[in-house]
Amino acid sequence: MKKLLAASLGILSAVGGFVDIGDLVAAGQAGARFGMAHSWVLLLGVIAICAYAEMAGRIAAVTGRAVFDLIRERLGARMALVNLVASYLVTVITLAAELGGVALALQLASGVPYLLWVPVAGVAVWLVLWRIRFPVMERVFGLAGLALVVFAVALFWLPTDWAALGRSAVTIDDAGQGWGAYWFVAVALFASTVSPYEVFFFSSGGVEERWSAADLADARFSVLVGFPIGGFLALSLIATATVVLKPAGVTVSNLDQVAHPVVLAFGGVGLAIAALAFFAVTFGAALETGLSAAYAAAQYFGWQWGKRVSPREAARFHTVLLVSVLLGVLLLLTTIDPVTLTEYMLIISAVALPLTYLPILVVANDRTYLGDRVNGRWLNVLGAVLLLIIVAAAIAAIPVAIGTRMGQ
Amino acid sequence: MRIQVSRELLDRQLVDVDGRLVGKVDDVEFALDAHGVPYLRTLLTGPGALGLRVGGRIGRMLVLTAERFVTDRPMVPLRIPYRLVARVDSAVWLRVRAEDLPTSPAEAWLRRNLIGRIPGAGRAGG
């Protein structure tokens, strides 16, 4: 029973770590514009994040070192510093987008304009990071995030044409929107599923909770169950947008539209559940991105980090944490639209993806670190193919974004 | 103990006897013994050493940022005699406690002037 509980808690963390503002926006836009035609991207993204999170978790458990430690060891001080600057910027912009998501969820629930909620969200995120114990925070938000299942339920409530939905999931079609826009959304959706902060956070969490080789099976289990559940929730977002928004010709420019199918199915109750779910996943992701930004810096420089020691003893780590949240808030207070910010965030994350994933693949094959726990042959084939796709997405991101003027 | 300095020592995490993180091996220093044979004398850690190794504009920016936290310039890296190293695996484990080594100036400054002043700074989050 205790083991079952521990396993389900791990799964909750993984679900909480998967869905965030990027998924809400990208999945909503994909469904509203192209129907189910991006399902394969989501599937590919889930496979990629599972494979690479497993590697990062295994490295953390066997060596006690988190991802950015390895990036510095493998790339050397100079290249890793360039990587750190890029990763930090991407992660802080992601943090800003998540804070914007929190504010939009609160606007959805209260009707009070989101900009007023931005400072509140920033302070709340920082307070939780300062005060709340690590496992508690990720499980609470993971559990609340499961409320997204209301989107899957809504599909059964609405007059869904399941046969048509299934057919459109297996046919790749630009739905008259142009192939440029199709690939723009594909890159954004892929980037949202394999966000680098997910592996920074996952591996640092493993080091923090002192995983050993004995915990490896549990860690692997949470990844292989939790991330696909997250993927299923994202797929149900695409599906509801396909069924409700696409026929009506609605485009997604705010979280209101993403929530609309649920409101149509369940009215005010649906709105409340959707707002709660949006709040939980974006708040949880804001915590994770904030921590990840600080993890990356601390692990590059070798500072004391983590929530096991008091903030006094990890002053530089907590300073970076504080500054990152502040930067996120300031970025939003420029009144940049959070959904637009999310779109830009996804494109620059796509560009930065190889910076995180290449070193993981290299170290996962290094016997001096992992002994006989290096990647097996099939995982390497899979990892290499996925890396090619990641590199392709990174190369394509900017040309596609410019060529389509951000997917128009 | 036979070690490839560039592959197994540089850029590794320094950890004290209690598992506290002390810094990275930002650089190393060799010396000659009585017979003229070079040996690894010191591990260097801190932004001063790192900045020099990174080099270029980005390295200088790193040093300049770190120097804002110290009064004596140029800033000196923390020097750890190699005999204090207990073992080297995925990290470099020291025989001493972090408290017995000089604290990084940036850490000390931020502890004193920013983080230490916020209520609850002395409590571990768990």
Side-chain angles (χ1 to χ4, degrees):
Chain A
M1 186 61 209
K2 203 173 163 206
K3 218 174 148 59
L4 191 72
L5 188 69
S8 53
L9 290 178
I11 293 168
L12 279 185
S13 316
V15 173
F18 184 88
V19 188
D20 70 348
I21 184 72
D23 295 281
L24 298 181
V25 169
Q29 289 181 340
R33 295 181 63 185
F34 302 96
M36 300 294 283
H38 285 94
S39 306
W40 66 274
V41 179
L42 201 57
L43 182 67
L44 202 60
V46 171
I47 294 172
I49 192 72
C50 283
Y52 277 88
E54 193 278 332
M55 289 181 219
R58 176 153 40 89
I59 295 166
V62 175
T63 69
R65 301 266 71 88
V67 165
F68 229 92
D69 277 316
L70 306 168
I71 290 181
R72 171 147 176 203
E73 282 167 33
R74 285 300 99 184
L75 298 186
R78 189 179 168 82
M79 273 306 293
L81 185 57
V82 175
N83 189 331
L84 172 66
V85 172
S87 299
Y88 181 80
L89 285 177
V90 170
T91 310
V92 167
I93 293 171
T94 312
L95 168 61
E98 307 294 352
L99 285 172
V102 173
L104 286 181
L106 288 169
Q107 174 183 307
L108 196 60
S110 67
V112 178
Y114 85 92
L115 263 180
L116 292 178
W117 286 113
V118 166
V120 179
V123 170
V125 162
W126 178 77
L127 267 180
V128 171
L129 289 172
W130 184 258
R131 267 326 227 182
I132 311 289
R133 291 182 64 235
F134 200 80
V136 175
M137 73 184 201
E138 52 177 358
R139 281 157 199 170
V140 167
F141 289 103
L143 183 64
L146 283 183
L148 276 182
V149 82
V150 71
F151 282 86
V153 178
L155 270 186
F156 290 94
W157 211 262
L158 295 164
T160 304
D161 181 352
W162 290 94
L165 202 63
R167 261 198 312 280
S168 72
V170 291
T171 42
I172 299 177
D173 178 18
D174 75 343
Q177 303 259 350
W179 285 103
Y182 178 89
W183 288 107
F184 174 83
V185 172
V187 167
L189 189 63
F190 185 69
S192 80
T193 56
V194 296
S195 310
Y197 80 84
E198 290 171 41
V199 289
F200 292 154
F201 182 78
F202 184 68
S203 76
S204 303
V207 172
E208 187 115 292
E209 293 184 25
R210 306 204 174 122
W211 286 348
S212 65
D215 304 311
L216 219 57
D218 289 346
R220 193 172 286 158
F221 180 75
S222 350
V223 165
L224 293 182
V225 178
F227 284 151
I229 291 178
F232 167 76
L233 294 175
L235 187 67
S236 61
L237 285 170
I238 299 185
T240 49
T242 305
V243 171
V244 176
L245 304 183
K246 187 166 176 266
V250 177
T251 52
V252 172
S253 58
N254 200 315
L255 291 188
D256 304 5
Q257 287 107 23
V258 182
H260 181 63
V262 175
V263 179
L264 204 63
F266 306 116
V269 179
L271 179 69
I273 298 175
L276 171 74
F278 292 169
F279 175 80
V281 296
T282 51
F283 200 97
L287 299 174
E288 296 189 3
T289 45
L291 281 169
S292 297
Y295 286 147
Q299 288 162 10
Y300 174 83
F301 290 107
W303 303 336
Q304 179 68 52
W305 54 268
K307 291 186 55 89
R308 268 183 190 277
V309 297
S310 68
R312 266 194 102 254
E313 294 170 89
R316 285 169 293 184
F317 172 75
H318 273 276
T319 305
V320 176
L321 204 52
L322 180 61
V323 168
S324 307
V325 175
L326 211 58
L327 285 175
V329 170
L330 288 177
L331 187 55
L332 283 168
L333 290 183
T334 61
T335 71
I336 182 169
D337 174 51
V339 172
T340 312
L341 179 66
T342 303
E343 291 171 2
Y344 281 102
M345 174 275 277
L346 289 174
I347 291 303
I348 54 172
S349 322
V351 176
L353 288 177
L355 293 176
T356 306
Y357 289 101
L358 176 64
I360 295 178
L361 185 61
V362 171
V363 173
N365 279 292
D366 192 329
R367 283 187 186 277
T368 60
Y369 285 91
L370 291 176
D372 56 1
R373 291 194 183 268
V374 289
N375 280 358
R377 183 189 301 169
W378 290 110
L379 185 54
N380 264 337
V381 171
L382 180 66
V385 171
L386 291 169
L387 192 69
L388 280 180
I389 296 167
I390 286 169
V391 170
I395 294 172
I398 297 279
V400 168
I402 294 175
T404 62
R405 289 160 66 210
M406 294 301 284
Q408 282 168 25
Chain B
M1 191 158 51
R2 193 186 162 85
I3 276 198
Q4 265 186 299
V5 171
S6 65
R7 208 176 135 73
E8 289 168 54
L9 209 51
L10 276 177
D11 298 317
R12 291 269 156 126
Q13 181 71 49
L14 289 160
V15 186
D16 84 345
V17 278
D18 302 326
R20 292 289 156 96
L21 308 177
V22 179
K24 293 274 177 176
V25 181
D26 288 320
D27 209 344
V28 294
E29 206 171 67
F30 291 94
L32 298 177
D33 67 6
H35 308 286
V37 181
Y39 69 99
L40 184 63
R41 185 170 65 181
T42 326
L43 305 181
L44 305 176
T45 181
L50 178 63
L52 279 180
R53 227 182 98 225
V54 167
R57 183 178 300 166
I58 186 166
R60 277 199 300 279
M61 269 168 55
L62 199 67
V63 177
L64 284 176
T65 313
E67 277 186 345
R68 302 194 73 84
F69 295 100
V70 295
T71 41
D72 314 330
R73 291 170 203 168
M75 65 183 314
V76 287
L78 171 61
R79 307 170 68 86
I80 300 171
Y82 193 67
R83 58 187 158 73
L84 295 184
V85 172
R87 65 173 204 279
V88 177
D89 49 28
S90 64
V92 177
W93 297 80
L94 302 177
R95 293 177 205 283
V96 289
R97 291 161 59 94
E99 290 91 316
D100 301 330
L101 298 165
T103 311
S104 138
E107 176 80 17
W109 191 91
L110 291 170
R111 186 177 296 167
R112 203 170 49 241
N113 296 305
L114 179 66
I115 298 299
R117 294 183 175 215
I118 304 173
R123 206 197 62 147

